[in-house]
Amino acid sequence: MSSTATEVVRLLTVNNGTLAVAESLTGGLVAAEITSVPGASKVFRGSVTAYATELKHRLLGVDATLLAQRGAVDPQVAAQMAAGVRAALGADWGIATTGVAGPDPQDGQAVGTVYVAVDGPFADGDRSASGGKVRHLRLNGDRAEIRMESVRSVLALLLAELAGEQTGNERAQDTERNGGF
């Protein structure tokens, strides 16, 4: 269990938030990282591992034309996966991973090309044109390293959004509840 996953679960718990995960190249590793944290059951709704491209459309509502034109490794696909899993599983936040872990390129994309996305209750004007926030990654390493860095990156993206949600007052209350000063 990572400290990032622990902090994500903590902030979701403090804010009474819930999380759903859509994964492709990570094949369930993001969900495993979240559920390794004690207390995750309070905030984690579930996950969809849509490894096959057609499942991204059928289970997550990713636009079929977008998938046909651009393939599964695309920033809009990542954004739609995050929004789709959020809606499908009734969560406050949705996160997604899609990309190429190797050993071969896919859909014209090089090994190490990854998109991670978050969709949630953003403040007005804080969303991208596609509806969520997407980060494009160019990762090096072998298949396992690319997959693990994708997990770390999507959790870091979510953590940044969750940390930005808390006001100073909420942080003070949480610190006080947890024995801080």
Side-chain angles (χ1 to χ4, degrees):
M1 131 185 63
S2 72
S3 60
T4 304
T6 300
E7 186 65 4
V8 162
V9 169
R10 186 189 75 76
L11 287 175
L12 285 167
T13 301
V14 165
N15 292 313
N16 295 313
T18 56
L19 174 65
V21 176
E23 300 186 65
S24 185
L25 85 148
T26 49
L29 293 173
V30 176
E33 192 68 20
I34 291 290
T35 58
S36 71
V37 177
S41 61
K42 294 175 189 166
V43 300
F44 186 66
R45 298 279 300 153
S47 65
V48 173
T49 301
Y51 212 66
T53 299
E54 73 270 9
L55 294 179
K56 291 171 182 64
H57 169 66
R58 198 167 34 160
L59 299 177
L60 299 171
V62 176
D63 183 83
T65 303
L66 174 66
L67 288 167
Q69 291 176 347
R70 297 193 194 163
V73 183
D74 181 82
Q76 282 186 287
V77 170
Q80 288 184 19
M81 287 173 65
V85 78
R86 179 181 176 213
L89 301 185
D92 298 309
W93 294 91
I95 58 176
T97 63
T98 188
V100 185
D104 300 314
Q106 176 188 335
D107 296 332
Q109 299 289 339
V111 172
T113 302
V114 175
Y115 295 95
V116 296
V118 60
D119 189 77
F122 299 107
D124 287 344
D126 203 22
R127 295 182 145 202
S128 73
S130 59
K133 290 198 173 185
V134 180
R135 180 158 295 140
H136 176 214
L137 309 171
R138 291 269 186 208
L139 303 176
N140 296 313
D142 64 19
R143 183 174 172 78
E145 291 167 326
I146 290 169
R147 293 173 77 216
M148 289 312 299
E149 185 56 35
S150 299
V151 172
R152 284 189 287 275
S153 295
V154 77
L155 290 175
L157 183 61
L158 175 60
L159 181 58
E161 293 304 318
L162 293 172
E165 250 198 346
Q166 283 197 314
T167 64
N169 186 44
E170 288 169 323
R171 285 188 185 128
Q173 289 173 1
D174 181 51
T175 301
E176 192 174 299
R177 271 195 300 268
N178 288 303
F181 51 87

